[in-house]
Amino acid sequence: MLKGIKKATATTLLILIVVVGIMAYPLPVNAQQYPTVRIGFLTCPDSFYAWLPKLKGWDHEFGVNYELVRCYTGPEIINLLLSGDIDIGQLGSTPVIITNNRPGTTLPVVSINVYVTAVHEFYANPALNATDLRDLVGKKGAFAFGTNLEFMFRLACKDYGLDPDTDFELYNMMPPDAMTALMNGEVDFAGVWFPYGKMLADEGFTLVLNGEWMCDWEYGSTFCPIYALSLARPEFANEHPELITLYIALTLRAQEYGREHLQEVAEISTEYLQSLGSVYSVESFLFPFQTGKFVPIVDIDGMLRAFDEMVNVFTKQSQFWAEMGAIPEDFRDPAEYVNSTFAVDLKNIEVKAFNSIQNAKNEIQNAKAAGKDVSEAESLLEQAEEEYSKMNYLKAYTLAEQAIDLMAEKPLLSPELIAVIVVVIVVVALAIAVYALRKRRKS
C-alpha cells in the first residue's frame, strides 16, 4: 500500500511541477492572424489614405493586411460591397444616400475622412464662351450618373430654372472618359473631379461650375458639405469590429502624415497611380491640397464632430433626392446607417492609452526616486509613446501597462499560481484517500 501511495504522490507532484512550469514560463503562442481587409478606393488625390498605409507598410505594423481594389466611381464601390468583393469602400455622399434607401439594404458609414465640396467641377469648350450652365442649354454634356457630380448638376439646374433631363443631351461617363470626350470635341461640357479638373484648366477649358460656389445658393446650398467617407460591408463590420477601428486609426495616421509630408505623399501616390494606368503628375496631385480644395480630418475628435453633423446634412440631401423621385418620400432616417460606434471605440482606446502612459510616467518616477532600476520600464514607456504618436493606441496601451506592471511589487507566487497549488494538493490528498480505501476493501 505504501508503495502505491508513493507512486500516486509522485505522479501528482510531477503534474504539479508541469503546471507550475507552464504558468511560470508560458508556452509561445502564435499572434492573432487578422484576415486581409479588402479596400475599394477611387483614384482621387484625397483618397491617398487608402493606399498610403499599404505602401508605407503601416497595415502590417497594425497587424492587418490591406488588399487594394481600384474603382472608378462610387456606384461601382457600392456594387462591390453588396456582392461581398470588398470589405470597406471609400466614396462620396450621394451613392450612400441612394443605396441606403433601397429596400432591405444597409451599408453603414463607419468613418468620415475629408470635406470635398470644392473638388467637383464642370468645364466647357472655350469656343462656346459659356459662363454658366444656362449658356449650355441644348448642348452635349458628360458626367458620372449617380455620383456627386449628378447631384450638383441637378441642384444648379434648379437654381438656374433649367430642366436637367430635357435642356441638355447627357451621357453617363466616368471622369477620365468625360475629360477625354470634352478634349476630343465629342461633348460640349463635362463634369469631373480632381485631378481631371486641373488638367482641363491647364488645357484652357472654361470652368462653369464649382461645388463651392453653390454653398450660398437657394437650392445649391444643399450640396454643402460633401464628404469623402467610408462604408463597410455589414457582415464584415459585425464579425471584425476591431478591424474597422484599426482602419480608422490608419486613415487618420495617413491624413496627419500627409499634412506634414505632402510632397513625399504626392510622389509616392503619383508613382502608384501611374502604375494603375491613371494619368497623373505630382503637380496635379498637389494642386487641390495647395489651393484648399480638400479639408482633411486628421484626428479622432474631428471625425466625431463630423459624425455629429452628418445626420442633419444627409437628411437635407435626402429631402432633395426624395423630391427628385430617386428615393421614397418617407426616406430612411440617416441615423440608421450613420454609425459612429467604431470611431467612438477608437476614441476610448486613445483615452485609455493616454492615461496609461501618464500612469507609467508617474510609477517610473516614483520607482526611480526609491532607487530602483527602471531601465526596462523606461524602454517600454518610450515604445508606448512612439506607438501613440502613430495612432496605434491599442499597442501603446499594452506597452504602457507592461511598464506599470514592472514597477509593481509582486509576490513570489501569484494568486493564480497559489490557487493551482492548493487544488493540486487537494487532488493529491483525495487520490491518496481513495487509493487507501480501495486497498482496505480488497484486504
Side-chain angles (χ1 to χ4, degrees), residues 87-153:
D87 304 308
I88 298 173
Q90 300 173 347
L91 67 164
S93 305
T94 293
V96 178
I97 295 172
I98 302 297
T99 300
N100 279 296
N101 278 280
R102 296 180 191 174
T105 301
T106 296
L107 290 176
V109 177
V110 295
S111 74
I112 310 171
N113 311 105
V114 193
Y115 294 94
V116 294
T117 303
V119 309
H120 302 87
E121 297 182 327
F122 279 76
Y123 286 84
N125 187 324
L128 298 175
N129 295 317
T131 58
D132 59 46
L133 295 183
R134 290 171 292 191
D135 298 325
L136 298 170
V137 171
K139 302 299 183 182
K140 296 179 180 179
F143 54 82
F145 294 177
T147 69
N148 289 323
L149 291 168
E150 180 180 6
F151 185 27
M152 70 179 290
F153 182 76

Side-chain angles (χ1 to χ4, degrees), residues 9-147:
T9 303
T11 301
T12 307
L13 287 175
L14 179 60
I15 294 172
L16 175 62
I17 292 170
V18 171
V19 171
V20 171
I22 290 174
M23 293 191 67
Y25 302 98
L27 295 175
V29 294
N30 292 329
Q32 183 178 2
Q33 296 298 312
Y34 290 121
T36 295
V37 182
R38 301 166 300 172
I39 300 174
F41 67 96
L42 304 176
T43 57
C44 306
D46 65 298
S47 294
F48 75 86
Y49 55 86
W51 58 76
L52 189 66
K54 180 66 176 179
L55 299 180
K56 298 285 287 186
W58 297 341
D59 57 336
H60 291 172
E61 288 182 23
F62 276 50
V64 297
N65 180 53
Y66 276 7
E67 178 183 317
L68 301 175
V69 180
R70 184 253 184 95
C71 302
Y72 294 92
T73 66
E76 180 186 358
I77 288 175
I78 293 289
N79 291 334
L80 291 174
L81 285 167
L82 293 175
S83 65
D85 291 311
I86 59 174
D87 304 308
I88 298 173
Q90 300 173 347
L91 67 164
S93 305
T94 293
V96 178
I97 295 172
I98 302 297
T99 300
N100 279 296
N101 278 280
R102 296 180 191 174
T105 301
T106 296
L107 290 176
V109 177
V110 295
S111 74
I112 310 171
N113 311 105
V114 193
Y115 294 94
V116 294
T117 303
V119 309
H120 302 87
E121 297 182 327
F122 279 76
Y123 286 84
N125 187 324
L128 298 175
N129 295 317
T131 58
D132 59 46
L133 295 183
R134 290 171 292 191
D135 298 325
L136 298 170
V137 171
K139 302 299 183 182
K140 296 179 180 179
F143 54 82
F145 294 177
T147 69

Side-chain angles (χ1 to χ4, degrees), residues 15 35 42 45 102 110 141 145 161-162 239 256 279 287 291 358 400 433:
I15 294 172
L42 304 176
R102 296 180 191 174
V110 295
F145 294 177
L162 302 174
E239 293 172 8
E256 177 64 26
V279 181
F287 178 78
T291 54
Q358 300 310 310

Side-chain angles (χ1 to χ4, degrees), residues 2 5 19 69 77 112 115 137 159 171-173 179 183 194 198 226 253 282 324 355 359 362 365 390 400 414 443:
L2 183 60
I5 293 175
V19 171
V69 180
I77 288 175
I112 310 171
Y115 294 94
V137 171
D159 270 299
Y171 297 90
N172 185 11
M173 294 186 186
M179 177 188 70
M183 287 181 168
F194 283 98
K198 175 67 165 58
I226 288 293
R253 179 177 176 183
V282 173
M324 295 294 100
N355 290 338
N359 292 338
N362 293 335
Q365 186 177 0
K390 296 176 181 177
S414 67
S443 61

Side-chain angles (χ1 to χ4, degrees), residues 272-423:
Y272 173 66
L273 295 173
Q274 286 176 348
S275 74
L276 299 178
S278 295
V279 181
Y280 262 92
S281 67
V282 173
E283 292 73 21
S284 63
F285 185 96
L286 286 171
F287 178 78
F289 294 97
Q290 294 170 335
T291 54
K293 304 293 185 182
F294 297 138
V295 181
I297 295 171
V298 299
D299 57 50
I300 189 60
D301 292 319
M303 185 179 293
L304 290 172
R305 287 192 295 271
F307 267 111
D308 288 340
E309 74 181 18
M310 176 177 273
V311 172
N312 290 333
V313 171
F314 271 21
T315 299
K316 186 178 178 181
Q317 293 177 351
S318 297
Q319 288 170 346
F320 171 80
W321 285 113
E323 292 173 9
M324 295 294 100
I327 63 176
E329 291 184 7
D330 57 340
F331 57 84
R332 192 174 182 189
D333 183 353
E336 296 179 11
Y337 56 87
V338 174
N339 188 345
S340 62
T341 300
F342 308 99
V344 171
D345 287 345
L346 181 62
K347 178 62 180 179
N348 291 337
I349 296 172
E350 179 198 20
V351 171
K352 287 180 64 176
F354 178 83
N355 290 338
S356 289
I357 288 173
Q358 300 310 310
N359 292 338
K361 288 180 179 179
N362 293 335
E363 293 288 343
I364 290 172
Q365 186 177 0
N366 293 336
K368 186 181 290 187
K372 294 182 180 180
D373 179 11
V374 297
S375 57
E376 187 177 353
E378 285 181 324
S379 176
L380 288 169
L381 176 59
E382 183 179 346
Q383 294 175 53
E385 291 179 316
E386 181 180 357
E387 294 301 329
Y388 185 89
S389 70
K390 296 176 181 177
M391 300 186 185
N392 195 351
Y393 300 127
L394 183 59
K395 190 171 182 180
Y397 169 77
T398 302
L399 290 166
E401 287 296 305
Q402 289 175 355
I404 292 171
D405 288 344
L406 284 177
M407 296 298 96
E409 293 288 347
K410 295 183 179 180
L412 182 62
L413 297 177
S414 67
E416 293 83 1
L417 187 55
I418 292 172
V420 170
I421 293 173
V422 170
V423 170

